[in-house]
Amino acid sequence: MLLGILFVLGTVNFAVHKAVLESNHPMLDTLPQSFTANGGKLSLVIEFCVLIVAMALSDNGWPAAAWVYGCYSALNAVTAWLLLNGRV
């Protein structure tokens, strides 16, 4: 069950991450070029690695990793909302 929740959170994180990358927000210009080049593929790979580590740790008896990933997902959602709605 926990892995399913993490998978859903990961899918949402990917969607939010891609939406922010495609928004061309001026704040993205402050990132290194390698993170935004090729549609942000490097940053999406890092996002995937974070998800895999959270899932692996949770599956191996570290349920706190799921809580940390949940907090990370909430921060991603709030940040994306702020950027996409022009609040920042």
Side-chain angles (χ1 to χ4, degrees), residues 2 6 54 57-59 61-71:
L2 193 56
L6 287 175
L57 288 174
S58 296
D59 195 39
W62 289 59
W67 285 102
V68 170
Y69 192 77
C71 292

Side-chain angles (χ1 to χ4, degrees), residues 4-5 8 13 16-17 20 22-24 29 35-36 48 53 55 57 59 62-63 69-70 72-73 76 78-79 88:
I5 293 170
V8 169
N13 277 339
V16 166
H17 192 117
V20 169
E22 291 176 352
S23 73
N24 293 323
D29 295 335
F35 282 117
T36 57
F48 179 73
V53 167
M55 291 177 88
L57 288 174
D59 195 39
W62 289 59
Y69 192 77
Y72 168 74
S73 298
N76 274 349
V78 169
T79 303
V88 176

Side-chain angles (χ1 to χ4, degrees), residues 33-58:
Q33 184 64 28
S34 59
F35 282 117
T36 57
N38 297 325
K41 287 184 182 177
L42 178 62
S43 60
L44 290 171
V45 167
I46 292 170
E47 184 82 43
F48 179 73
C49 291
V50 170
L51 172 61
I52 293 299
V53 167
M55 291 177 88
L57 288 174
S58 296

